[in-house]
Structure formats: structure tokens, C-alpha cells
Amino acid sequence: MQRSVRTSKPRADQSFQDRSSDLLSHGFTLVELLVVIAVIAILASLLLPALNRAKSKAEGIFCLNNTKQLLVAWQVYADDHNDSLAYNVGGNGLRAIAPNTKLNWVDNIMSWTTNSDNTNFTTITDASLGPYSGSVNIYRCPSDKVLSDDQRNSGWSGRIRSYSMNAMVGDAGEVSKSGVNENNPGYVQFFRASSIPQPSRIFIFLDEHPNSINDGYFLNKWPAPPYKEKEWIDLPASYHNGAANFSFADGHSETHRWQIPNTKQPPIPNSFNLPLEVLDGQTADFYWTLSRMSILRDN
């Protein structure tokens, strides 16, 4: 038996306008569209912070890996030079900048000008640690995108270095020619890898604040008695949710989160002046860093 198929046909008395109205009634109303848009906006507002945090965490891990790779280069250099550490040439005095020299682990001075040191990769590859580091990319933290207006207007995407070396590690040139670092005479200057008694306690590299970084020599002085002059000469970075990455002489790297708000200065060119005073009662970050730079000399 053949079954008939019924199809829906417009009534003969139904006008074209009525049929069009029936079809349109199955679409979205303006109110429904506004509701959908509002829901999407709410979801975006909830998801974007999570995505930004995930991106920031990924950049922090990438940066941590950079400090590890720099440390490997530093260790291989020492192995190739009979335990002598790479030069870490420094300047003498408050905020004094080290002279340019290829003997140093890096041969550039970061600034907010359009000076070629900020973009010239040969200042890395031709320096003493260059042949051991493998890639120039490991010298820059992915979170470090800070530029001055002049640099941005010149089409730059970033400067080439975000990391510095502990001033108490390596030959500091004229500053340490006597065997003692003139900047911290009461503390040991480490010239050889084997001279570091607690390798897990002494950091080698860190990511430095972009407004503080200039040469590759991260210096802070121990205050002399009566210990009133406590100040950051060079300031660590705080890109990673208020933290900085460090690599230590024993081969490990770690992320350290700062406790004091004044340590976490915004990464904005010329946004604060150095040296930066450390107030009484706000010394935790300052002394944490100093205590991992060196040890007291035996007099």
C-alpha cells in the first residue's frame, strides 16, 4: 500500500505578508541578540584574566629556563678556563657603569636611547660567554617588552638583554684587581668556581629591572655600620607576578617572589630614581638578595 505524504502548504487565503511574518518569527529578536552579546562579554571578562595569567606563567617558565641555560654556559666557560670564572667587569662607585670590553661576559650597556648596544647582537656573541651560550635569545626575558618612546618610534620590539650577573662573581677588572671587590671589601669576590663554598646559596644570574639594568654587573653594597644607608643600587625585576628568576652556582634556578611593595617597581622607563632607599622595616627583599651574593671575608 502506498502511503501518502502530507506536506504543509500555505492556506489559499493566507497573504504573502502573513507568510513572511511566520518565517521571521523563527529568527532572533533584538532582545535575544543583546542577551547573547552580554553573555559572551561576561564569559570573555572571566576568561581573559585566566588567559593572561597562563601567558604570564608560561613566560615565567621560559625566563627560568633562560637563566638555567646561561648558567650552563657559565659553567662550561669555567671548565674550559681551568675553573676561572667569566669576567664580570664592574664600575667603581655608586651607579658607575662598567667600561665596554669583549673580555666581559657581555659587552653592552642597556639604555633608553637608540644606542646600538640595545640591539646589536655582536655585543653578546663576541663577548666572552657568547661562544658558550648557543643562542642570543636566552639573554632576554620574554616578559621584558619595555621600550622608551624613542625606541618604540624607531620600530623596536625590545632590547636584547634582560639579565645581569652577580657583581661578587667573576673578575671585576680594575674594581677587583687587589683580589677584593672595592664595592664590597668585607665580602668575598669569587674568581673560581671551586671558591664558592655554598653553591646552592650564591646566585649567578637574575633578571634585572629594565629601569635599573645597564651593564651586566648587578651590584648592591652591604651597608656599613651603623647600617643606615640601605638602598638598591641595582634593582631586581618583578615581571613574573611580583617575582624574579635566579640561577645559582650549583646549577638550579628558582623564582623568588618579593614581599615588599617598594621592591616591585613598575617596568616603566625612568619611573623611579636610583639608588632606591630601603626603609627600616622593609628590608626583607634587600637582605634576601644581599645574603645570596657573597659571604663574609676571613680577616
Side-chain angles (χ1 to χ4, degrees), residues 168 180-189 222 294-299:
M168 304 305 292
V180 175
N181 192 320
E182 296 176 19
N183 292 309
N184 283 311
Y187 290 79
V188 175
Q189 184 74 18
W222 286 87
S294 186
I295 58 173
L296 278 166
R297 289 179 58 224
D298 293 327
N299 294 323

Side-chain angles (χ1 to χ4, degrees), residues 148-156:
S148 68
D149 290 340
D150 287 344
Q151 293 167 343
R152 190 173 292 103
N153 292 336
S154 296
W156 294 10

Side-chain angles (χ1 to χ4, degrees), residues 81-289:
H81 291 79
N82 297 318
D83 201 42
S84 294
L85 299 177
Y87 273 78
N88 187 19
V89 178
N92 189 13
L94 193 65
R95 297 296 296 164
I97 296 175
N100 284 92
T101 171
K102 293 182 180 179
L103 186 66
N104 201 22
W105 75 277
V106 285
D107 185 26
N108 50 39
I109 309 295
M110 299 293 95
S111 69
W112 296 124
T113 71
T114 54
N115 184 289
S116 63
D117 274 17
N118 294 292
T119 55
N120 183 4
F121 285 112
T122 61
T123 62
I124 289 175
T125 57
D126 290 355
S128 64
L129 214 58
Y132 298 90
S133 55
S135 171
V136 294
N137 295 327
I138 66 174
Y139 288 77
R140 180 179 170 222
C141 171
S143 296
D144 181 7
K145 306 176 182 71
V146 188
L147 293 170
S148 68
D149 290 340
D150 287 344
Q151 293 167 343
R152 190 173 292 103
N153 292 336
S154 296
W156 294 10
S157 59
R159 301 186 295 179
I160 60 175
R161 181 169 58 84
S162 309
Y163 305 103
S164 290
M165 188 186 291
N166 175 2
M168 304 305 292
V169 174
D171 192 322
E174 288 295 313
V175 177
S176 63
K177 64 181 181 180
S178 67
V180 175
N181 192 320
E182 296 176 19
N183 292 309
N184 283 311
Y187 290 79
V188 175
Q189 184 74 18
F190 301 114
F191 293 94
R192 306 178 72 84
S194 58
S195 67
I196 302 176
Q198 297 176 292
S200 63
R201 184 77 177 179
I202 302 299
F203 76 83
I204 308 302
F205 295 101
L206 81 161
D207 49 339
E208 187 175 348
H209 194 287
N211 201 34
S212 163
I213 198 170
N214 39 45
D215 52 26
Y217 180 80
F218 182 83
L219 171 67
N220 279 294
K221 295 185 178 182
W222 286 87
Y227 306 106
K228 289 184 178 180
E229 294 182 1
K230 297 180 290 291
E231 53 195 15
W232 291 106
I233 297 174
D234 289 327
L235 186 70
S238 50
Y239 295 119
H240 310 299
N241 294 317
N245 288 321
F246 291 79
S247 58
F248 288 77
D250 70 333
H252 87 277
S253 292
E254 65 182 60
T255 301
H256 181 74
R257 195 165 303 282
W258 304 116
Q259 300 179 32
I260 308 302
N262 201 42
T263 308
K264 297 177 281 189
Q265 295 291 326
I268 300 172
N270 301 314
S271 57
F272 61 92
N273 294 320
L274 289 164
L276 184 65
E277 184 180 6
V278 178
L279 301 176
D280 290 337
Q282 298 182 10
T283 60
D285 296 339
F286 182 68
Y287 282 122
W288 184 93
T289 304

